[in-house]
Amino acid sequence: MKYARLTKEQFEELTQEFTNFLASQSIDKAEWDSIKADKPEVAEQELDVFSDLIWEGVLSRAEYLEHFSKNHIFLFQTFDTYINSIVLKSLVPEVDFLTNEGLQWLSDNMFTDTIEMKVGKKEFSEERNASLFALIKQGAFLSDGQLYKQINTIIES
């Protein structure tokens, strides 16, 4: 398996897509029920293959990721061969970016000496989607890039 198996909740959200996936292999509901009952290892393989297909599609379309921790915010813009990053760090240890108050504090103090901001670019050392998946496993999530774009516009001006 290249990525990770989807959760039960994710499979429930993708029921129609999974049904189409099975149909593309000429597996109908009766046959799927039989496979689950008689060949659970084959059913597991089908779930893994489907999960990887979904992850591959999602990661291929990913443009922006964000990762928040107590004192850091990591913002990423992805390209085919590299990733740009903006890292915001609070120099005030009590601030918690995981709370609304912490985010409000960031907004109020963005351009003061209490925020350290670093901009970077890194070439992918492994396959792009695997690199993005590694960031997701560390806690990043896909985003619309609004925060990245806002901060990047300010940095560039």
Side-chain angles (χ1 to χ4, degrees):
M1 184 159 205
K2 188 171 179 181
Y3 300 110
R5 180 170 304 168
L6 299 174
T7 64
K8 184 177 190 293
E9 294 77 16
Q10 290 167 325
F11 271 110
E12 287 169 1
E13 290 288 322
L14 296 167
T15 299
Q16 185 59 52
E17 290 82 354
F18 186 63
T19 302
N20 294 343
F21 167 75
L22 291 175
S24 73
Q25 299 179 66
S26 303
I27 300 173
D28 62 14
K29 176 156 179 26
E31 187 170 351
W32 176 243
D33 290 341
S34 170
I35 290 170
K36 288 191 302 186
D38 303 332
K39 301 178 191 162
E41 67 286 349
V42 173
E44 297 286 321
Q45 289 172 347
E46 293 293 337
L47 295 173
D48 290 347
V49 169
F50 178 75
S51 295
D52 276 350
L53 283 172
I54 294 296
W55 274 114
E56 194 67 39
V58 167
L59 295 167
S60 294
R61 291 186 304 275
E63 274 189 79
Y64 295 95
L65 290 96
E66 299 178 0
H67 183 226
F68 289 74
S69 66
K70 183 178 185 304
N71 297 116
H72 290 83
I73 298 176
F74 299 87
L75 306 171
F76 302 100
Q77 181 180 20
T78 69
F79 297 91
D80 288 343
T81 59
Y82 65 94
I83 189 165
N84 285 340
S85 64
I86 300 172
V87 180
L88 306 173
K89 177 183 177 185
S90 167
L91 300 177
V92 178
E94 302 78 41
V95 171
D96 185 351
F97 291 143
L98 299 173
T99 66
N100 287 335
E101 296 79 17
L103 294 176
Q104 183 59 52
W105 180 91
L106 173 65
S107 178
D108 296 340
N109 293 277
M110 178 67 93
F111 298 101
T112 67
D113 58 4
T114 59
I115 294 289
E116 180 178 281
M117 192 179 312
K118 292 184 180 174
V119 178
K121 175 181 176 180
K122 181 181 177 191
E123 299 288 329
F124 290 122
S125 57
E126 55 186 53
E127 194 259 329
R128 175 190 183 274
N129 290 355
S131 297
L132 299 184
F133 188 72
L135 289 172
I136 290 170
K137 285 197 328 193
Q138 294 169 28
F141 56 90
L142 302 175
S143 81
D144 61 6
Q146 185 177 346
L147 185 56
Y148 181 97
K149 292 174 200 168
Q150 288 173 340
I151 294 173
N152 195 49
T153 299
I154 294 166
I155 291 170
E156 289 179 346
S157 62

